Amino acid sequence: MENNQELQSLLDRTVAVCRSLTGDGRQATYIPELATVDPSLFSVSSATLGGALVSSGDTGARFSMQSMSKVMSLSFALEKFGYDEVFSHVGMEPCSEPFNSIMKLEMTSSTPLNPFINSGSIVIAGLIAGRIGAGAMEEMLDFASRMTGSKNGLAVNERVYMSESSTADRNRALAYFMRSSGTLSFEVEKSLDLYFRLCSIEVGTDDLAVMGATLANAGVNPLTGERLTSVDTSYTVTGIMSVCGLYDESGWFAVKAGIPAKSGVSGGIVCAVPGRMGLAVFSPPLGKGGNSVAGVEAVSRLSMELKLRGM
Ligand code: GLU
């Protein structure tokens, strides 16, 4: 089913059913600005490889990418520095510890298990900041804007950035630990600054659905026709989304929904189903594993109805 009207009524039904779940879970508060977001907001978007963008719910809602930006920074780093270079700094294995855990870093090796946990993404940000220098954030915003097909260009939400940057003791601990072991090759504060800014880029579910569709379309944005990544990069990124995308609930989500996805603590989930479509949901209240409760349910229902599982 990818007829736009059918897709629209499926999304409308999904929003109607899953909205009742927005009361379950609690939104993130460890970044104070995230606690100020209206928890009842709920939106769902889909972008087909034919270039149709269909959405439902509070589609005007804007929120910060948080960990969903890790999909974009990994894509960018693979394009700029290549597979061998990137995976000499981070692994690609799932992590059974929380996203901001320091334990695995110390106990196993000093290399982060994958690029979607905070330590791994800080290493990727350090690589980008160190190699590109002062223009890194501008280049990243341009890349993100083109990947999402954003007409006016994406921007950082400065309040979220300040809120995160001023309360990030845990991420600073991770970064200083990795700097001491030589895993983080660039300056701690400059690496973190890029990481915080990337997490604070503001989007809506339409933007994220197109970003997912770009990866699903082997690296070509289906709305603009622009190639953003190589075919290999798109497969590498969606592969890692499949096994590492929902924190330490990635295995559970793979069984429940069965599609490549990445969540963020703002309550969004971006999905890229190779050869089919991009999907995105937003609902701030999170479950115990840090994933949007209504969002996971909506993605699972859409995956089943659209027969996306196992694509
Ligand atoms: N900026 C958040 C942090 O570093 C991202 C976490 C997330 O969305 O998983 O804690």
Side-chain angles (χ1 to χ4, degrees):
M1 179 214 304
E2 261 129 75
N3 163 309
N4 292 354
Q5 264 175 3
E6 284 176 349
L7 202 48
Q8 183 69 61
S9 67
L10 173 62
L11 295 195
D12 292 344
R13 270 185 281 130
T14 306
V15 167
V17 173
C18 295
R19 228 186 232 291
S20 64
L21 297 174
T22 58
D24 298 353
R26 299 185 56 182
Q27 69 207 85
T29 53
Y30 77 100
I31 299 173
E33 195 60 28
L34 296 184
T36 66
V37 177
D38 177 354
S40 70
L41 289 171
F42 187 38
S43 68
V44 182
S45 299
S46 66
T48 67
L49 302 198
L53 183 57
V54 180
S55 36
S56 185
D58 303 306
T59 54
R62 308 288 294 168
F63 51 94
S64 52
M65 284 179 104
Q66 297 301 332
S67 271
M68 293 172 285
S69 66
K70 293 169 180 166
V71 169
M72 192 243 315
S73 49
L74 174 64
S75 304
F76 181 89
L78 284 167
E79 285 304 297
K80 283 275 178 197
F81 316 126
Y83 182 98
D84 291 342
E85 171 73 27
V86 167
F87 291 109
S88 68
H89 296 276
V90 293
M92 53 175 82
E93 298 300 334
C95 182
S96 55
E97 308 302 329
F99 68 101
N100 56 5
S101 170
I102 202 164
M103 194 168 79
K104 274 272 187 315
L105 273 179
E106 200 173 12
M107 282 177 60
T108 50
S109 74
S110 55
T111 305
L113 274 176
N114 70 63
F116 287 169
I117 50 177
N118 285 10
S119 52
S121 194
I122 292 168
V123 165
I124 299 282
L127 201 58
I128 298 171
R131 298 280 172 89
I132 297 186
M137 188 59 203
E138 222 170 293
E139 255 198 68
M140 292 300 303
L141 271 177
D142 179 59
F143 184 74
S145 300
R146 291 190 288 133
M147 207 169 177
T148 58
S150 162
K151 289 199 181 68
N152 302 321
L154 298 177
V156 166
N157 179 320
E158 291 294 332
R159 284 201 318 276
V160 174
Y161 162 71
M162 291 303 295
S163 180
E164 173 154 1
S165 168
S166 60
T167 55
D169 294 340
R170 183 82 183 200
N171 284 327
R172 286 201 166 80
L174 283 172
Y176 278 103
F177 179 80
M178 292 192 293
R179 180 73 177 157
S180 75
S181 61
T183 305
L184 181 61
S185 51
F186 192 53
E187 288 165 60
V188 166
E189 287 302 334
K190 286 187 179 160
S191 305
L192 284 172
D193 193 66
L194 183 67
Y195 172 80
F196 298 145
R197 287 185 188 277
L198 293 173
C199 288
S200 307
I201 294 175
E202 199 168 63
V203 288
T205 50
D206 281 359
D207 299 312
L208 291 175
V210 178
M211 178 170 135
T214 300
L215 289 168
N217 197 29
V220 176
N221 181 323
L223 271 75
T224 64
E226 184 184 8
R227 175 167 291 284
L228 271 306
T229 76
S230 67
V231 176
D232 284 353
T233 290
S234 74
Y235 284 137
T236 301
V237 175
T238 51
I240 296 179
M241 290 167 81
S242 298
V243 289
C244 308
L246 271 83
Y247 311 116
D248 40 333
E249 289 186 336
S250 298
W252 168 72
F253 181 80
V255 172
K256 189 171 167 64
I259 60 175
K262 178 75 200 92
S263 58
V265 290
S266 50
I269 304 176
V270 57
C271 313
V273 190
R276 289 292 299 279
M277 60 180 7
L279 282 175
V281 293
F282 171 59
S283 167
L286 311 176
K288 281 201 185 73
N291 296 302
S292 166
V293 176
V296 166
E297 188 57 31
V299 170
S300 305
R301 283 170 180 265
L302 290 170
S303 172
M304 193 176 68
E305 297 268 354
L306 292 164
K307 302 186 173 50
L308 301 176
R309 175 187 285 280
M311 292 297 298

